[in-house]
Amino acid sequence: SKDKLKVATNNPGNKDFLEFVSKKGGQKLEIYFATLRDIKRSLNLYKKELYKTFDELLKQQVNAAGKITQNEAPIAKIVDTLIEYAYRSNASDIHIEPGEEHSLVRFRIDGILHDELKLPKELHDQVITRIKVLSALRTDEHLSAQDGKLQMKLKEEDLDVRVSLVPIVGGEKAVLRLLTSHYRQFGLSDLGMNTEAFDRVKEAINKPYGMILSTGPTGSGKTTTIY
């Protein structure tokens, strides 16, 4: 109703908190139960403006770096900002791919690749070198694929990042997979299986013998499913 303040909470039993909110808002409350995951997802909708601000900051840094000498370019800051921005955007992967005129940065969000940023071409090799240094990979190897990992300390968690470097026409392509804990807060029903498959899995789980195989190509959701 119009005269009530609608509140979503994952702990409707916390009467002291709800009473405090009611007094602060000067209205009676209409309580809705929501999971913590849904609340965080909803809050992300209101963070979009922050993302835009962060995006502009990133572009300013890159533009500034493109205008000054290569040695002065804030490469470490650019790489850190890219990873942090991807994390805030709930991206699972960062793709950095060299092109003829610029280097394209894409984020994989909910399985779909989104073009996020065009880096000046002259910065691409420096960004790749910085990623190699953080991942303890060979900086003098440019013609073979390399795999490694790095860790970045964020306010929310120590983020593990799996790094894959592949030589392609025009340079080296980097794929960074963000192995964050918040992608694994799923229930079985959240995985998007159709009814028949879901019933089959539930039936198999309850059997005292046999095994369930989780198979598929890289990035198809095996680890998330098992968790």
Side-chain angles (χ1 to χ4, degrees):
S1 60
K2 291 182 180 178
D3 58 338
K4 287 187 178 179
L5 182 66
K6 294 177 181 178
V7 176
T9 174
N10 68 326
N11 184 11
N14 190 341
K15 292 180 180 175
D16 290 340
F17 170 71
L18 294 174
E19 196 174 310
F20 170 76
V21 173
S22 180
K23 284 181 179 176
K24 203 77 174 167
Q27 291 174 282
K28 289 185 177 179
L29 301 185
E30 197 169 315
I31 310 299
Y32 293 85
F33 176 76
T35 64
L36 188 59
R37 187 165 154 256
D38 284 336
I39 291 170
K40 285 182 176 177
R41 184 184 288 174
S42 299
L43 287 173
N44 277 334
L45 295 175
Y46 295 96
K47 288 181 181 174
K48 291 295 181 188
E49 292 304 317
L50 287 178
Y51 290 159
K52 286 178 184 175
T53 305
F54 201 15
D55 193 28
E56 286 306 311
L57 173 65
L58 182 59
K59 285 173 181 169
Q60 285 167 17
Q61 288 175 346
V62 171
N63 289 339
K67 289 171 188 170
I68 57 181
T69 62
Q70 288 192 6
N71 292 335
E72 294 174 334
I75 299 301
K77 183 67 176 170
I78 288 172
V79 173
D80 289 351
T81 307
L82 276 177
I83 295 173
E84 192 172 342
Y85 183 52
Y87 179 86
R88 306 265 178 260
S89 302
N90 284 333
S92 59
D93 301 84
I94 305 169
H95 289 241
I96 306 171
E97 190 168 345
E100 285 185 19
E101 297 177 4
H102 53 256
S103 181
L104 180 63
V105 178
R106 296 184 290 174
F107 292 168
R108 187 179 295 281
I109 302 170
D110 292 333
I112 299 169
L113 277 170
H114 300 267
D115 293 0
E116 291 290 332
L117 191 69
K118 291 178 180 177
L119 284 169
K121 187 178 180 181
E122 58 271 19
L123 294 185
H124 179 81
D125 289 345
Q126 295 180 75
V127 168
I128 296 296
T129 299
R130 175 64 182 168
I131 291 169
K132 286 179 178 178
V133 169
L134 292 172
S135 311
L137 297 174
R138 287 184 58 182
T139 56
D140 60 343
E141 177 59 74
H142 305 288
L143 301 176
S144 299
Q146 295 191 78
D147 292 301
K149 62 181 179 179
L150 61 91
Q151 190 176 75
M152 186 171 175
K153 290 189 180 294
L154 299 174
K155 189 171 65 175
E156 295 84 355
E157 61 177 296
D158 288 348
L159 178 66
D160 288 316
V161 180
R162 197 164 66 202
V163 176
S164 176
L165 295 169
V166 182
I168 63 172
V169 175
E172 290 174 278
K173 176 182 176 180
V175 179
L176 281 62
R177 166 150 298 179
L178 278 56
L179 303 171
T180 168
S181 59
H182 66 228
Y183 290 125
R184 298 185 184 145
Q185 296 168 357
F186 286 96
L188 190 59
S189 59
D190 295 318
L191 293 176
M193 298 182 196
N194 62 39
T195 307
E196 184 185 348
F198 183 64
D199 290 343
R200 220 182 257 180
V201 170
K202 281 203 299 185
E203 184 186 340
I205 284 172
N206 290 316
K207 287 186 177 179
Y209 56 86
M211 69 173 72
I212 300 170
L213 301 180
S214 179
T215 65
T218 302
S220 61
K222 298 184 294 294
T223 305
T224 301
T225 300
I226 291 168
Y227 268 80

